[in-house]
């Protein structure tokens, strides 16, 4: 047989072997139990009913024994239900859709860049190269203050942007869920780079006249992964407070943080960060079980800040001329890969099926004992999840994760298309990606979703959700008017 | 980009931004320039519309921006930038949604005070203008300045590259914006002016004059300083008076040929382009001696006088594929009749403009006269060489 055919048939065989192995290991309990059950039933049938009654009588139970056993059983069951963590449901969420008046086409961005940096053609050239390869599209949006030449980032403009994005997302959430402002028990707002006094959470409380005994929190400075940190905080609070609603608002305010200098390492965020916000309603009320979209299964947080290089790789500082900007180090991708490995090591055992875990363990033992040159086994996370939401930090991040986790283009489609349509909206990008998957009609009951976000610090945070009910394609939401155009092909380099 | 605050500058606090189409135009859309368009590339039109405080009540730059995005959806070619095609070097417009430049300003005078001012060059303060080039692909084709007056009135000042279209197109463009402001809907996409089929060799036009190559900086090199004057007199007599006066002044060098531009009788409001009729008229008699009526009949109504040179200009430009640079306005003494340009059709909140003023930036040495309609008395703009100021 020709060698290609043998290779093909060999790989086919391997695929079936693998499938067989996975089925065997993942359903081992069922495969063992079923024969046992069948055996018992056969035995019972063979014995006949009178024999069973005789068997029962010969056991000589008396009242005390029966009472004690039932008491023990009831006690164990009660303890189990009391100590089980409450289920946290995601009732619904809404993402902010910027108006067309905030749109920034490539040509406009480049022209403004040339005018703002008129004395630094090299920096302009750098920005153009970044934009060409960024994976962004022509419909991403910047806030009104940044459209001016030069930008006018006043505090008033920053507050204006915050009010615009946060209140729009929240109004939309109230309409979608029917939530009344006075029913919000916990409010968490996260915005990394804009932290006025009074806080953004106070701004929300003031606008919607929320209750005076609300538990409000404002997380700032925690980077693009702060969205999942807020979810984690909400989960912990909902364990302590029964029968409560928690609203989480994730956003990033661009206005005060647009870098106005010429250092290249600091110009990168200007090219990628765009306006966005998301508002999420979480609840532990049993009554929400029926209409909730998702249930929170796991949140895993990994912090590499103990390592100096990781700590400094995304650093806000002043350049030589006193302009404040966020400096991204060249090791960013390597550090991100490292943080991801740590996170996977923790989340793997929680979510991977037994088949993958065994393989990983065996390869690990083999590498330690037999031959260190064996390739480390990368568990197949596609077995554990149906959908992946990778924070749309930039094209490089998505490429890197796709490679490391061996994901197909369909798995990273939500991330790439969100980057194209909305740009890097920081902590809210995960929600735009979820919305994309729902808008495409791909979210079915029982599907598991993995949200991964990276952030300054350096942190890698993951959340695992399980879809509670098949979600109908939404008629509103940020993708409503453009989902038919997607997915689009994004060229390696866009000709400007 | 903020203009330095000088003590005598009446308009200050300038802020610049860009406004483009709300919808993505597409990655490979281009707008081709005809020969006539290219012949006009060194000229720029300036238009100012003044609205009283009643019309401008409640308007802010934010609520003016949304209709602008809707308006730019239709006029996406005005939001593009010039590129040169390879290998001929012929300019065309790449419709890349870059946008028109919008400028906000504040004026320390009231509308009444402004209109009564005598300085003819004050209109330049209300129109932010930059020429195209030296970097063609980063030069906006249209600038829109919104200036707020002390009394609450506003002015809309448009600087428009003539290669996009003539003054009649500018008027349609502005009127459509008024409709967008009112209804957030526009009239529908303007179509592009039809191209003429020029295969038969045509004689040289009198109304177009070749100039030295300007390269990528599209500005006219005048031999003398040009100045702009405005008048409130009846039109016909003014034009004739000017022609006669100039003839008297330039004794021995009487302008025997003038160019007259007026609206094409078949003009369609939805066509964007250089469609105005350009006639060159020879006066084969001594202009100084003749009487006003004879001159008037030459300029004003008689359709058969002079020849329509549009096709000739087109043919001349196409001969070397648009590489030669021409001027039209000012190659001979030029009269532009804007009386039926619809200058007072724009409405803000249902109110018409208090005053509309048009001018041309970039006029050749022979000068130009624009005849404007207006609230009586009718106005005119005259652009002449400074040393020919005869009043």
């Amino acid at each position: 047989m020709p060698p290609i055919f043998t290779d093909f048939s060999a790989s086919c065989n391997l695929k079936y072997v693998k499938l067989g192995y996975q089925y065997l290991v993942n359903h081992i309990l069922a495969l063992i139990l079923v024969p046992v059950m069948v055996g018992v039933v056969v035995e019972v049938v063979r014995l006949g009913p009178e024999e069973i009654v005789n068997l029962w009588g010969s056991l000589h139970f008396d009242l005390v024994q029966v009472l004690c056993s039932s008491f023990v059983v009831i006690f164990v069951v009660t303890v189990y239900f009391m100590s089980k963590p409450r289920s946290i449901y995601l009732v619904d969420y809404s993402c902010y859709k910027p108006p067309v008046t905030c749109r920034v086409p490539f040509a406009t961005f480049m022209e403004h860049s040339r005018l703002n940096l008129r004395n630094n053609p090299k920096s302009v050239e750098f920005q153009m190269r970044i934009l060409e390869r960024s994976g962004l599209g022509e419909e991403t949006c910047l806030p009104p203050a940044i459209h001016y030449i030069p930008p006018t980032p006043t505090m008033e403009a920053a507050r204006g942007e915050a009010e615009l994005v946060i209140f729009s997302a929240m109004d939309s959430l109230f309409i979608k869920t029917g939530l009344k402002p006075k029913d919000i028990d916990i409010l968490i707002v996260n915005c990394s780079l804009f932290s006025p006094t009074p806080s953004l959470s106070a701004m929300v409380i003031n606008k919607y006249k929320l209750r005076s005994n609300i538990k409000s929190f404002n997380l700032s400075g925690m980077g693009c992964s702060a969205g999942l940190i807020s979810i984690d905080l909400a989960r912990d609070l909902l364990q302590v407070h029964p029968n409560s609603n928690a609203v989480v608002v994730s956003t990033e305010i661009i206005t005060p943080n647009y870098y106005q200098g010429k250092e290249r390492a600091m110009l990168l965020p200007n090219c990628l960060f765009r306006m966005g916000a998301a508002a999420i309603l979480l609840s532990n009320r049993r009554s929400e079980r029926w209409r909730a979209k998702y249930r929170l299964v796991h949140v895993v947080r990994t912090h590499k800040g103990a390592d100096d290089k990781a700590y400094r790789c995304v650093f806000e500082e002043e350049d030589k001329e006193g302009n404040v900007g966020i400096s991204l180090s060249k090791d960013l991708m390597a550090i991100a890969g490292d943080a991801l490995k740590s996170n996977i090591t923790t989340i793997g055992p929680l979510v991977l099926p037994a088949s993958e875990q065994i393989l990983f363990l065996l390869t690990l033992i083999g590498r330690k004992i037999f031959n260190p040159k064996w390739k480390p086994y990368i568990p197949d996370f596609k077995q554990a999840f149906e959908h992946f939401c990778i924070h749309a930090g930039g094209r490089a991040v998505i490429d890197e994760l796709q490679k490391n986790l061996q994901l197909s283009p369909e798995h990273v489609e939500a991330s790439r298309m969100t980057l194209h349509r909305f740009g890097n909206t920081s902590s809210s990008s995960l929600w735009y990606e979820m919305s994309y998957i729902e808008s495409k009609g791909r979210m079915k009951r029982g599907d598991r979703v993995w949200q991964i976000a990276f952030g300054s610090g350096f942190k890698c945070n993951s959340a695992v959700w399980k879809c509670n009910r098949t979600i109908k394609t939404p008629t509103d939401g940020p993708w409503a008017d453009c989902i038919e155009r997607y997915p689009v092909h994004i060229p390696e380099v866009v000709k400007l | 980009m903020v203009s330095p605050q000088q003590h005598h500058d009446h308009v200050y606090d300038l802020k610049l931004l860009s406004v483009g189409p709300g919808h993505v135009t597409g990655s490979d859309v281009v707008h081709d320039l005809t020969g006539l368009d290219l012949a006009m590339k060194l000229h720029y039109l300036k238009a100012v519309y003044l609205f009283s405080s009643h019309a401008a009540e409640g308007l802010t730059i934010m609520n003016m921006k949304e209709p602008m995005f809707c308006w730019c959806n239709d006029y996406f070619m005005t939001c593009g930038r010039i590129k040169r095609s390879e290998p001929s070097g012929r300019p065309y417009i790449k419709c890349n949604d870059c946008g028109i430049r919008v400028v906000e300003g504040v004026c320390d005078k009231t509308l009444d005070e402004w209109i009564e001012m005598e300085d003819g060059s004050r209109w330049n303060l209300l129109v932010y203008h930059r020429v195209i080039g030296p970097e063609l692909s980063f030069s906006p084709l249209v600038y829109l300045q919104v200036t707020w007056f002390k009394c609450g009135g506003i002015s809309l000042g448009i600087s428009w590259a003539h290669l996009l279209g003539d003054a009649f197109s500018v008027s349609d463009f502005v009127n459509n914006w008024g409709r967008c402001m009112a209804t957030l809907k526009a009239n529908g996409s303007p179509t592009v002016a039809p191209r003429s089929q020029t295969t038969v060799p045509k004689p040289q036009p009198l109304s177009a004059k070749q100039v030295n190559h300007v390269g990528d900086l599209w500005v006219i090199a005048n031999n003398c300083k040009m100045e702009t004057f405005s008048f409130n007199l009846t039109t016909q007599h003014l034009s004739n008076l000017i022609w006669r006066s100039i003839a008297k002044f330039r004794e021995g060098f009487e302008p025997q040929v003038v160019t007259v531009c007026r609206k094409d009788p078949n003009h369609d409001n939805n066509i964007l382009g250089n469609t105005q009729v350009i006639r060159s008229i020879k006066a084969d008699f001594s202009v100084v001696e003749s009487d006003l009526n004879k001159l008037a009949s030459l300029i004003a109504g008689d359709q058969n006088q002079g020849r329509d040179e549009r096709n000739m200009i087109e043919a001349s430009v196409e001969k070397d594929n648009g590489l030669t640079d021409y001027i039209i306005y000012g190659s001979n003494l030029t009269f532009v009749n804007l009386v039926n340009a619809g200058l007072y059709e724009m409405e803000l909140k249902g109110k018409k403009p208090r005053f509309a003023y048009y001018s041309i930036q970039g006029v050749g040495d022979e000068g130009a006269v624009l005849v404007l309609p207006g609230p009586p008395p009718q106005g005119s703009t005259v652009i002449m060489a400074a040393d020919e100021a005869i009043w």
Side-chain angles (χ1 to χ4, degrees), chain B residues 181-195:
Chain B
M181 294 273 284
T183 61
L184 270 190
K185 275 197 288 272
N187 236 6
S189 272
T191 50
V192 171
R195 274 83 176 99

Side-chain angles (χ1 to χ4, degrees), chain A residues 103 111-112 114 148-149, chain B residues 16 18 21 81 101 104 135:
Chain A
R103 183 184 160 220
E111 193 169 278
H112 284 219
R114 285 186 77 262
Y148 284 95
I149 305 165
Chain B
L16 277 72
S18 298
R81 295 292 182 267
R101 192 77 80 233
E104 296 171 55
E135 272 155 327

Side-chain angles (χ1 to χ4, degrees), chain A residues 140-257:
Chain A
T140 61
C141 295
L142 282 172
I146 307 298
H147 287 257
Y148 284 95
I149 305 165
T152 54
T154 58
M155 183 145 200
E156 195 189 326
R159 277 216 166 98
E161 183 193 344
E163 287 174 7
L164 175 65
V165 307
I166 294 177
F167 296 164
S168 302
M170 290 212 54
D171 288 340
S172 170
L173 183 69
F174 287 142
I175 294 173
K176 275 185 170 183
T177 56
L179 179 71
K180 293 197 187 26
K182 63 174 173 56
D183 288 336
I184 302 178
D185 305 290
I186 300 164
L187 173 69
I188 305 172
V189 177
N190 72 268
C191 171
S192 188
L193 294 165
F194 180 53
S195 185
T197 296
S199 64
L200 293 176
S201 60
M203 183 179 88
V204 172
I205 292 171
N206 169 259
K207 162 83 176 174
Y208 294 103
K209 314 292 178 225
L210 304 183
R211 292 195 329 248
S212 57
N213 63 350
I214 192 169
K215 285 163 198 50
S216 71
F217 298 84
N218 195 87
L219 299 177
S220 73
M222 300 190 90
C224 300
S225 58
L228 294 182
I229 297 177
S230 304
I231 299 285
D232 188 38
L233 179 60
R235 178 184 66 159
D236 290 343
L237 287 165
L238 287 171
Q239 299 298 339
V240 176
H241 300 290
N243 233 24
S244 301
N245 283 328
V247 171
V248 171
V249 179
S250 291
T251 183
E252 190 58 71
I253 303 301
I254 312 279
T255 303
N257 304 304

